[in-house]
Amino acid sequence: MTKPVYAIGDIHGQIDMLKAALALIESDGGPDAKVVFLGDYIDRGPDSCAVVQTLIEGYAQGRNWRALKGNHDRYLLRFMSDKNVHDSRTRPDLMWFNPILGGDKTMLSYGVYAKDGASVSNTHTAALSAVPQSHLDFLNDLDLTHTHDKLLFVHAGIRPGVPLADQVEDDLIWIREPFLSDPRDHGYLIVHGHTALDAPQHYGNRVNLDSGAGFGRPLTTAVFEGRDCWLLTPKGRIAFGP
């Protein structure tokens, strides 16, 4: 019998939603349940610091967790390492502190006041004292993909037609097209987030679990047994297919 694996979509600083999702998983699968987190733990929501700390503590407790890197997680890493507040995949007029991206909320969760147009140098200096090195180490060590049976978990998606071993980070954490419109079977059922929707969607060859928690919509939790999928709710499992 295939053991279930649970997946949680983009969290974006929503610590209360994360705690509720973990409680649902433990109720359904017990404390040893395997959980894959699809990235984007920070930005937009109210407490990115607490989300990262919760993940770190889970790993330290020996939980069967696999956390993947998202593009927003890389924003913080780049800012902390070299003051970079832009990404080549982002609109050039948007800096990370802009509320649209939500870096201002991440900094505030660490006690650093930052806003669009603020002094990058001053904010960086304050952040160096405020953000624990353990948080940066954790985010820096995140995997880009995780496979489980016929499932491939990844933050954004894959470059269609490219072998998994040849995929590059920028695609795995940023891609939308041509991945989203590609109908082919990729050899795995791709489970991803990154492209926020009003509700999770199953497309047959991929499942998008980013239901917009970063914008205040519910955080999605799903459970897979083989390629069979259910959404996990307070009322139990709900069958979820294309």
Side-chain angles (χ1 to χ4, degrees), residues 156-157 176-186 188-211 224 227 229 231 240-242:
R176 288 194 170 93
E177 294 299 345
F179 169 67
L180 296 179
S181 60
D182 195 309
R184 81 185 82 174
D185 188 298
H186 302 293
Y188 295 95
L189 177 63
I190 310 295
V191 182
H192 68 96
H194 181 58
T195 299
L197 305 173
D198 290 335
Q201 294 291 328
H202 195 311
Y203 297 90
N205 64 342
R206 63 181 180 89
V207 177
N208 184 351
L209 297 183
D210 184 357
S211 49
F224 297 85
R227 289 180 68 133
C229 179
L231 298 179
F240 186 53

Side-chain angles (χ1 to χ4, degrees), residues 126-144:
L128 287 176
S129 298
V131 180
Q133 186 62 43
S134 61
H135 286 210
L136 300 178
D137 291 342
F138 176 79
L139 295 175
N140 197 54
D141 289 341
L142 295 174
D143 291 329
L144 294 171

Side-chain angles (χ1 to χ4, degrees), residues 11-20 46-52 54:
I11 299 166
H12 282 297
Q14 299 286 3
I15 184 61
D16 290 338
M17 293 185 191
L18 173 59
K19 289 179 178 178
D47 206 338
S48 296
C49 175
V51 169
V52 176
T54 297

Side-chain angles (χ1 to χ4, degrees), residues 54-215:
T54 297
L55 295 175
I56 290 173
E57 290 174 359
Y59 269 66
Q61 293 163 6
R63 297 276 188 170
N64 190 10
W65 290 0
R66 303 290 187 277
L68 305 181
K69 183 184 292 185
N71 58 304
H72 282 266
D73 309 315
R74 194 172 76 175
Y75 272 121
L76 175 59
L77 293 170
R78 287 188 168 187
F79 173 66
M80 294 298 293
S81 65
D82 61 10
K83 305 180 188 178
N84 190 340
V85 291
H86 294 94
D87 192 290
S88 61
R89 298 288 188 104
T90 308
R91 277 170 34 194
D93 60 313
L94 282 182
M95 66 185 301
W96 179 51
F97 302 147
N98 190 296
I100 293 174
L101 297 179
D104 59 329
K105 298 293 195 304
T106 294
M107 285 289 93
L108 191 60
S109 77
Y110 287 102
V112 177
Y113 181 71
K115 62 180 181 179
D116 198 13
S119 166
V120 171
S121 182
N122 289 346
T123 303
H124 183 256
T125 298
L128 287 176
S129 298
V131 180
Q133 186 62 43
S134 61
H135 286 210
L136 300 178
D137 291 342
F138 176 79
L139 295 175
N140 197 54
D141 289 341
L142 295 174
D143 291 329
L144 294 171
T145 64
H146 179 71
T147 57
H148 179 97
D149 294 333
K150 294 297 184 179
L151 305 171
L152 172 64
F153 298 92
V154 61
H155 176 63
I158 61 170
R159 178 69 56 179
V162 176
L164 185 57
D166 296 330
Q167 298 281 337
V168 298
E169 179 174 297
D170 270 4
D171 283 337
L172 296 172
I173 69 173
W174 267 109
I175 198 168
R176 288 194 170 93
E177 294 299 345
F179 169 67
L180 296 179
S181 60
D182 195 309
R184 81 185 82 174
D185 188 298
H186 302 293
Y188 295 95
L189 177 63
I190 310 295
V191 182
H192 68 96
H194 181 58
T195 299
L197 305 173
D198 290 335
Q201 294 291 328
H202 195 311
Y203 297 90
N205 64 342
R206 63 181 180 89
V207 177
N208 184 351
L209 297 183
D210 184 357
S211 49
F215 302 105

